[in-house]
Amino acid sequence: MTSLILLFIGAALAKPTIDDQCSSVMAQGGISDAFAPFVAHSIHSMTVEDMRYFFNEDVTEDNNIPTVNMNLTSEHRVLLYAPLAGYSDDFSTMSMKTFDRVMRNMDRSWWGITNFSLLEKLVHAYHMAEIWDQTSRQYETVARVLDPESQLCTCVRDVQNNDVWNYLNLLAFKIRYPGISSGNNTLTDQYVSTKTKRSAIPLGRPSYGISYSLSWFRSAVVNFYDINFDLPDVELLKDVAEKLTDGDSIMPSHIDSEEHWAQWREIMMSGMDDANYWDLAVFMFCNLN
C-alpha cells in the first residue's frame, strides 16, 4: 500500500507542466527544435499584404502575427501584429510592390535594418518573400490535415511561452544593434558603454547578420530566464550582450562585388529545409484560422 501511495505521489510531482505538455504535442505534430528562432525570423518583417498574397487573402490588420517594428527608433521594438504596409496599386506584381516599398523608404535611415545598403535591403525583402513562397506550399498541406482548434494550434499560438516572442525581441536587438549577441566585445562595447538611446549608425559600421543557417541556435542555448523584454532598450543592452550570447555575428561584408554577393547567397541558401517551412506553415495556419 505504501508503495502505491509513493508511486501516486511521484506521478503527481512528475506531472508535466503546460510547457512540457506543449513540447510533447509540438514534437508529435512534426514541429522541429528550431521552431521558435526560425518562426521569429520568418515573420519579423511580414505585412498584411504579404500574408494575403502567400497565405490567406482574408487577413486584416487585426491579426495575431507579431513582428519587429520597422521603425528602429520606436520604443516599441516588437509589434503585436503584422502591419498594413500600404503597397502601391500602381504595380500588378508582388515583386514590384515589394521593390517599390523599399525604394519609397530609401531615405529613411531609421527604417528597416541597421546599416544595410539599399541593395541589401532589397535582397533581404526578396529573401523573405522566398521563405514565404516555399512555406505557402506546406501551408496548403497543413490546411488539409490540421484542425485550428487542436491542441497543437493552442501551443503554437502561445508565443509568450513557446519562445517566439523572446526570439522576436532578440532579433529586434540584433537588427538595431548589430553584433549585440556575438560575444565580441569590440562590437558590444560600443552599445553597452554608452548606455544612451540608439541613434542611426553610419554605413560602414557593423551591419546585422542574416545568419539563416541557424547554426548559432544549434550550437548555443539561449536562456531567456531573467530577461524582461518589457524594459526599454537602454536598460537591457548589457543583459542582452552578456546573457543572450549566441555567437551570431555580423555579415562578413557589404554587397559590393560578385565575390561578396556569393558570400551572402551562400548564407541565405544554407539551413533552409522542409522542416523549417513546416514549422512556419503550422504557425501561420494556426494563427490565421
Side-chain angles (χ1 to χ4, degrees), residues 1-259:
M1 182 66 176
T2 302
S3 298
L4 289 175
I5 293 174
L6 290 175
L7 181 62
F8 177 81
I9 293 175
L13 292 175
K15 183 179 179 180
T17 64
I18 295 298
D19 287 343
D20 291 334
Q21 291 173 348
C22 276
S23 294
S24 177
V25 168
M26 291 170 71
Q28 292 174 17
I31 301 300
S32 76
D33 291 339
F35 170 80
F38 182 78
V39 167
H41 174 79
S42 300
I43 65 176
H44 82 272
S45 60
M46 198 172 280
T47 68
V48 170
E49 291 92 338
D50 296 324
M51 291 189 289
R52 287 172 178 170
Y53 183 82
F54 291 104
F55 302 110
N56 187 328
E57 63 183 11
D58 296 323
V59 173
T60 68
E61 291 178 81
D62 183 19
N63 59 74
N64 299 313
I65 306 298
T67 56
V68 171
N69 196 337
M70 298 293 279
N71 182 349
L72 302 178
T73 64
S74 173
E75 295 181 358
H76 305 289
R77 74 181 76 91
V78 176
L79 304 175
L80 295 172
Y81 57 91
L84 188 69
Y87 283 6
S88 175
D89 291 331
D90 293 336
F91 301 104
S92 60
T93 66
M94 197 60 174
S95 295
M96 278 304 302
K97 291 176 185 289
T98 300
F99 181 88
D100 178 64
R101 184 192 181 207
V102 175
M103 296 300 286
R104 284 190 285 113
N105 286 282
M106 64 186 295
D107 294 333
R108 297 170 177 166
S109 60
W110 49 262
W111 184 86
I113 300 178
T114 300
N115 287 344
F116 266 27
S117 68
L118 177 59
L119 175 58
E120 290 158 0
K121 289 180 179 180
L122 286 167
V123 168
H124 175 263
Y126 287 128
H127 174 63
M128 298 311 302
E130 181 85 2
I131 293 175
W132 304 330
D133 180 68
Q134 292 288 343
T135 301
S136 67
R137 304 168 195 182
Q138 297 270 19
Y139 185 93
E140 295 177 1
T141 300
V142 172
R144 290 196 297 268
V145 301
L146 185 60
D147 181 354
E149 300 301 320
S150 66
Q151 189 175 359
L152 175 58
C153 276
T154 298
C155 293
V156 164
R157 292 189 190 104
D158 189 7
V159 297
Q160 297 290 341
N161 289 309
N162 62 25
D163 270 347
V164 168
W165 183 258
N166 288 329
Y167 274 103
L168 272 172
N169 274 277
L170 176 57
L171 183 54
F173 270 98
K174 292 181 180 184
I175 290 174
R176 292 181 175 208
Y177 312 96
I180 189 65
S181 67
S182 65
N184 183 338
N185 292 337
T186 302
L187 296 175
T188 60
D189 284 353
Q190 63 180 307
Y191 310 123
V192 177
S193 60
T194 57
K195 288 296 232 178
T196 58
K197 186 173 177 63
R198 176 194 175 279
S199 58
I201 304 173
L203 187 64
R205 297 285 292 281
S207 55
Y208 160 66
I210 315 182
S211 185
Y212 294 121
S213 67
L214 297 182
S215 58
W216 56 270
F217 172 74
R218 296 190 177 109
S219 62
V221 177
V222 179
N223 189 346
F224 297 103
Y225 175 66
D226 59 349
I227 303 295
N228 181 6
F229 283 122
D230 289 335
L231 296 174
D233 287 11
V234 293
E235 294 184 36
L236 279 176
L237 281 170
K238 189 173 186 297
D239 280 347
V240 172
E242 296 179 355
K243 298 179 180 180
L244 300 184
T245 301
D246 57 17
D248 197 20
S249 192
I250 60 175
M251 293 302 288
S253 58
H254 285 289
I255 303 177
D256 53 13
S257 66
E258 291 182 12
E259 177 185 358

